[in-house]
Amino acid sequence: MPRLTVAKTAKMLVNGQFVRSESGRTFEAQNGLGQACLASRKDVRDAVRAARSAQPAWAARTPVNRGQVLYRLAEMLEARASGFAELISRESGLTKPRAKREVEAAVDRAVHYAGWCDKAAQVLGSVNPVSGPFFDFSVVEPIGVVAVLAPSASPLVGLVSLCLPPLAVGSTVVAVAASPMVATEFAEVVATSDLPPGSLNLLTGVKGDLAKTLVEHRDVDAIADADGDDDFRRVLVSGAADSLKRVRVWGPFDLAAWHSPSTQGLDWVEAFVEVKTVWHPVGM
Amino acid sequence: MSVAPRDPVGLEVPVESGFRWEYAPAPEARSIVRLRERYDHWIGGRWVAPASGERYESIDPSTEEPLAEVARGSAEDVDRAVLAAREAFGPWSRLPGAERGKVLFRVSRLIQERSREFAVLESMDGGKPIRESRDVDLPLVAAHFFYYAGWADKLPYAFPGRTVRPLGVAGQIVPWNFPLLMAAWKIAPALATGNTVVLKPAETTPLTALLLAEVLEAAGVPPGVVNIVTGFGDAGAALVRHPGVDKIAFTGSTAVGKEIQRYAVARHLTLELGGKGANIVFEDAAIDQAVEGIVNGIFFNQGHVCCAGSRLLVQESVADLVLKKLERRIGTLIVGDPLDKNTDVGAVNSRAQLDRIRSLVDAGASDGATVHQPACRLPERGFWFPPTVLTGVGPSSRVVREEIFGPVLSVLTFRTPEEAVELANDTTYGLSAGVWTDKGSKVHKVLAGLRAGVVWANTFNKFDPASPFGGVRESGYGREGGRHGLAPYLEVR
């Protein structure tokens, strides 16, 4: 009898732990890849609590250290490139070359944002020439906890493109992945990349349901989506009204756009910072 | 109103030595303002009567006398204004930036020329002391137009490596505390970036915005580029729900801000909302300067300031001293005629606001707060509230949690810097904060921990067109002023 291969159980990443949904529920992943975790409202709340607890320490890291951690993430992704490409191809049905490109673009994106960590503050901050004897400057600070709703068009680059900009500037993330098996694999990359537990939490499940919990959660500061659906944007914005959280919606983008530099850059970082202006008198 | 005895909290130093400086009245002449009997909306470069024919009176809150009849805007008026703004958008946005800039420079100059007239009208319509409208509001209004005028042809330098384009029609809703200044904060960046505007002034303070229409016309702002619809909340709601509006910029209360986020149709939204600013005084502060800062922080503009330092957090070791000095200083504030150049604290903007202030202070008193108010004679007519300090309050008291938007300071004490930061952040708001200490490294450590969009260190309530202003958390989002203030009016790619 031929040897049975050992299949991987799909898991989510919450507070640095690989967990299944506390509800015990699962759903069928695409293309017969098995059962994926169906995150519950409680899972969302656990993830938000983890992200909130992890945020101050992550923000307190030196910017260059955050950059090194994100660069390490790129290293870990690259090391698993071939396995990722095969999984992406199987789960999302992308052709082999496209799946390969998907992984390469994700690695490059991580390198891109690794470099922003110690530069965003300089580009987005300012010294303000006020008319008076004051030293006046504006600095950017992390927005806090960001909820990411990963786009469906790109299983890996889309997820990475939304998670890394907030991490680069010291926020922490609760992400709802679009492709659960790729997300499980990505969770292993995250767990071995020196990102502190809780800084990036990955959930799988029904986007619309989880979005509702996230958008109403008072400990989430911002919500990001990149499917570009205007009706869904309206749902997010009005749902977020009671806690006045920031909502940012990009897209929609096709796979080619996700693989090009047009879907990265300062704009994505800027969405996850708050500007603080400081005045101090100048005098003897 | 029911107020506890105004015995100064166990003060050993007498607050009043019995001597009080007497000031002869020094009223600014009202005659410089030529009011019309009735005002229409300003739409498409013309005065347009309200579709409903309805008008209301704008009154002087210091006398309750009517000043003029103002158009009461309806959804139909808003629709006309949005249409005019849409028509004007194409040509205005295609105008070379340098030309748009020149128009705005002229606006700034014309405001400077008529600045006294604007200042007097602002004080008549809103109740703020003439010294503030003359020396703070109007200079900042002119400066704001002058500042953004210069950006109009330099937008690519503000966002290097990225492309920008204007959003279209901006619906702008402004409050009654700084009526003309808030209109300037909104109109100047919108126009510099090539957008057109429908402005809805607050119902109690429409008159300076209507006078601004004259200046805009004289400066050569093309018809339809700025439209002004006066009226109440229903006119604002019509603007927020209008499908022809691309951007909503709102300054006002957090409650209304939430409603706007819930219902806004426009894709772009910025909100500058309420606050409950903490003014933190450490034992190593220059105490006399800090006391001036506390007074400026809460009694400037009758406390009708979203970024007011309405919670005083004072270190225990100096609390008695600070409160004594504060009480003495408050005893010297002159409350009265907004047009009198001696006046420090003018009239409360409206009866509704006065009622709100009274009910919150009453709630504070019944929560056990001690109410301190100086002896001052308040005019018989009009809406007045004396400068007030509340001690003996806890962090959960309503007067500590809710924005009072009046001349009322709630005092808490702390022992350690960590406790001060924790207390300061113990609010759903995040607009402003103040830090008073002579130790530089402490300033930076403390301000880094404060969740606020603006931090004043060893100063308070300073504003400048070059300085980005705005909040975090439930104080809203988006920045006004500075390079950052351009972004809310542009699509940046």
Side-chain angles (χ1 to χ4, degrees):
Chain A
M1 184 176 143
R3 182 180 172 274
L4 263 179
T5 54
V6 179
K8 187 183 288 181
T9 304
K11 295 264 187 117
M12 307 189 294
L13 183 68
V14 175
N15 204 21
Q17 307 281 308
F18 291 93
V19 298
R20 287 187 283 173
S21 171
E22 60 79 37
S23 67
R25 289 173 189 258
T26 59
F27 66 105
E28 189 90 27
Q30 282 171 281
N31 300 321
L33 286 187
Q35 296 294 311
C37 303
L38 185 69
S40 66
R41 289 196 294 272
K42 174 75 163 68
D43 292 320
V44 169
R45 291 196 296 269
D46 289 346
V48 171
R49 186 181 306 131
R52 175 58 68 193
S53 316
Q55 199 270 328
W58 177 241
R61 297 278 188 104
T62 63
V64 70
N65 183 235
R66 283 201 301 273
Q68 287 177 329
V69 171
L70 294 197
Y71 188 79
R72 171 86 177 156
L73 186 86
E75 291 177 348
M76 293 298 102
L77 261 174
E78 186 81 61
R80 291 168 172 254
S82 60
F84 252 118
E86 197 189 316
L87 180 64
I88 287 168
S89 174
R90 282 170 59 209
E91 185 176 24
S92 306
L94 299 188
T95 61
K96 287 267 163 64
R98 283 188 157 190
K100 183 162 177 281
R101 178 70 198 121
E102 175 82 2
V103 184
E104 291 167 355
V107 173
D108 291 352
R109 197 130 299 184
V111 173
H112 176 78
Y113 287 112
W116 270 123
C117 299
D118 54 1
K119 294 163 194 74
Q122 212 161 34
V123 178
L124 295 174
S126 60
V127 171
N128 310 313
V130 296
S131 307
F134 295 95
F135 179 50
D136 185 299
F137 60 95
S138 296
V139 291
V140 292
E141 295 188 342
I143 208 161
V145 173
V146 177
V148 159
L149 305 172
S152 53
S154 157
L156 184 60
V157 181
L159 177 64
V160 168
S161 298
L162 286 177
C163 290
L164 299 195
L167 284 169
V169 285
S171 288
T172 53
V173 174
V174 175
V176 177
S179 303
M181 293 306 171
V182 170
T184 295
E185 196 80 5
F186 183 59
E188 292 167 18
V189 169
V190 172
T192 52
S193 69
D194 294 342
L195 271 167
S199 53
L200 174 50
N201 304 278
L202 293 162
L203 302 175
T204 59
V206 181
K207 175 181 162 180
D209 295 351
L210 300 178
K212 188 175 182 324
T213 309
L214 283 164
V215 91
E216 288 169 2
H217 198 301
R218 296 193 71 85
D219 222 7
V220 172
D221 299 296
I223 191 154
D225 176 272
D227 273 330
D229 178 330
D230 206 49
D231 290 337
F232 190 59
R233 181 190 66 83
R234 198 77 54 80
V235 170
L236 293 178
V237 170
S238 71
D242 195 49
S243 52
L244 281 167
K245 55 173 69 67
R246 289 67 171 135
V247 178
R248 184 62 192 262
V249 176
W250 285 274
F253 303 115
D254 60 14
L255 199 63
W258 281 115
H259 292 176
S260 88
S262 67
T263 49
Q264 68 183 24
L266 188 61
D267 180 35
W268 299 68
V269 176
E270 199 171 10
F272 304 109
V273 297
E274 297 281 12
V275 175
K276 179 186 273 178
T277 297
V278 179
W279 291 68
H280 197 285
V282 174
M284 298 293 280
Chain B
M1 75 177 248
S2 72
V3 175
R6 37 170 293 278
D7 167 39
V9 258
L11 296 186
E12 292 146 27
V13 183
V15 171
E16 303 277 329
S17 55
F19 178 78
R20 210 183 153 83
W21 290 98
E22 287 298 334
Y23 291 86
E28 181 72 46
R30 293 173 175 236
S31 56
I32 192 168
V33 171
R34 281 179 304 274
L35 280 170
R36 304 178 200 182
E37 237 168 78
R38 54 175 51 188
Y39 287 87
D40 290 332
H41 302 305
W42 176 251
I43 297 173
R46 292 187 308 115
W47 295 105
V48 176
S52 66
E54 280 185 58
R55 288 167 203 278
Y56 70 98
E57 281 179 342
S58 189
I59 64 165
D60 179 338
S62 70
T63 61
E64 300 176 59
E65 296 292 331
L67 292 170
E69 282 200 340
V70 178
R72 177 166 186 161
S74 62
E76 209 178 327
D77 299 323
V78 167
D79 192 50
R80 276 192 211 170
V82 172
L83 216 67
R86 279 245 77 86
E87 270 179 38
F89 173 64
W92 177 249
S93 62
R94 284 192 297 271
L95 202 65
E99 296 305 305
R100 287 202 310 271
K102 279 155 70 180
V103 172
L104 292 174
F105 278 123
R106 287 179 70 178
V107 171
S108 172
R109 280 298 201 227
L110 292 177
I111 288 169
Q112 284 178 316
E113 282 173 16
R114 297 177 70 175
S115 141
R116 187 58 56 95
E117 183 184 354
F118 272 109
V120 171
L121 182 56
E122 196 75 309
S123 284
M124 287 165 65
D125 201 21
K128 67 169 62 198
I130 184 68
R131 234 184 32 228
E132 288 175 12
S133 46
R134 185 193 64 195
D135 298 346
V136 180
D137 293 61
L138 262 297
L140 280 173
V141 169
H144 224 83
F145 278 104
F146 198 87
Y147 177 81
Y148 278 107
W151 268 122
D153 62 345
K154 301 172 193 67
L155 300 177
Y157 298 104
F159 305 95
R162 297 189 277 174
T163 58
V164 297
R165 60 183 188 83
L167 302 175
V169 174
Q172 306 183 319
I173 303 171
V174 294
W176 43 259
N177 56 343
F178 296 92
L180 188 65
L181 182 57
M182 290 301 104
W185 278 27
K186 298 244 175 319
I187 294 172
L191 263 50
T193 48
N195 298 276
T196 56
V197 163
V198 176
L199 178 81
K200 210 292 274 178
E203 60 265 28
T204 60
T205 54
L207 297 180
T208 45
L210 294 168
L211 186 57
L212 179 66
E214 286 182 19
V215 162
L216 296 174
E217 187 184 27
V221 175
V225 169
V226 176
N227 306 277
I228 300 170
V229 176
T230 52
F232 290 75
D234 53 337
L239 191 55
V240 166
R241 292 167 184 265
H242 200 292
V245 174
D246 301 286
K247 191 232 158 50
I248 291 287
F250 170 75
T251 296
S253 72
T254 289
V256 175
K258 289 180 177 183
E259 287 302 292
I260 289 177
Q261 172 158 347
R262 200 164 281 129
Y263 296 112
V265 173
R267 281 189 69 93
H268 303 272
L269 180 61
T270 45
L271 304 169
E272 204 270 86
L273 308 175
K276 193 74 191 177
N279 206 354
I280 306 170
V281 179
F282 287 102
E283 60 190 1
D284 52 8
I287 298 293
D288 287 330
Q289 288 174 27
V291 168
E292 286 307 304
I294 295 164
V295 168
N296 178 44
I298 186 61
F299 301 123
F300 172 61
N301 201 35
Q302 296 75 248
H304 299 329
V305 182
C306 49
C307 54
S310 51
R311 288 181 298 153
L312 171 62
L313 309 184
V314 57
Q315 198 154 15
E316 251 180 41
S317 50
V318 290
D320 286 349
L321 179 66
V322 168
L323 288 176
K324 270 178 211 168
K325 286 178 180 262
L326 184 61
E327 187 106 18
R328 203 178 319 171
R329 178 66 179 87
I330 292 169
T332 68
L333 293 176
I334 300 171
V335 184
D337 181 8
L339 270 301
D340 190 320
K341 283 169 274 194
N342 295 321
T343 295
D344 296 303
V345 178
V348 168
N349 186 264
S350 64
R351 180 174 298 282
Q353 187 56 30
L354 180 59
D355 290 346
R356 181 176 159 74
I357 296 168
R358 282 177 174 164
S359 84
L360 272 164
V361 171
D362 286 349
S366 57
D367 271 0
T370 309
V371 180
H372 311 272
Q373 290 171 330
C376 52
R377 285 184 303 273
L378 300 178
E380 303 224 322
R381 302 207 56 182
F383 315 129
W384 307 94
F385 200 84
T388 300
V389 175
L390 303 175
T391 58
V393 296
S396 60
S397 170
R398 278 184 70 196
V399 291
V400 173
R401 306 217 69 80
E402 294 181 32
E403 184 177 43
I404 299 174
F405 222 64
V408 182
L409 179 70
S410 301
V411 183
L412 297 167
T413 59
F414 66 89
R415 289 188 179 175
T416 65
E418 293 74 20
E419 191 191 355
V421 170
E422 197 175 314
L423 279 171
N425 290 340
D426 182 18
T427 167
T428 54
Y429 295 113
L431 189 51
S432 74
V435 181
W436 297 85
T437 164
D438 256 2
K439 195 173 174 198
S441 56
K442 194 168 175 179
V443 166
H444 290 282
K445 177 73 180 169
V446 169
L447 74 85
L450 293 171
R451 286 193 294 198
V454 185
V455 179
W456 286 291
N458 294 321
T459 184
F460 211 95
N461 271 344
K462 292 288 182 288
F463 309 94
D464 193 282
S467 180
F469 180 94
V472 302
R473 309 182 76 217
E474 295 197 9
S475 290
Y477 41 80
R479 291 294 175 267
E480 294 180 296
R483 186 192 73 206
H484 297 79
L486 295 168
Y489 290 97
L490 290 166
E491 196 171 285
V492 183
R493 297 237 168 206

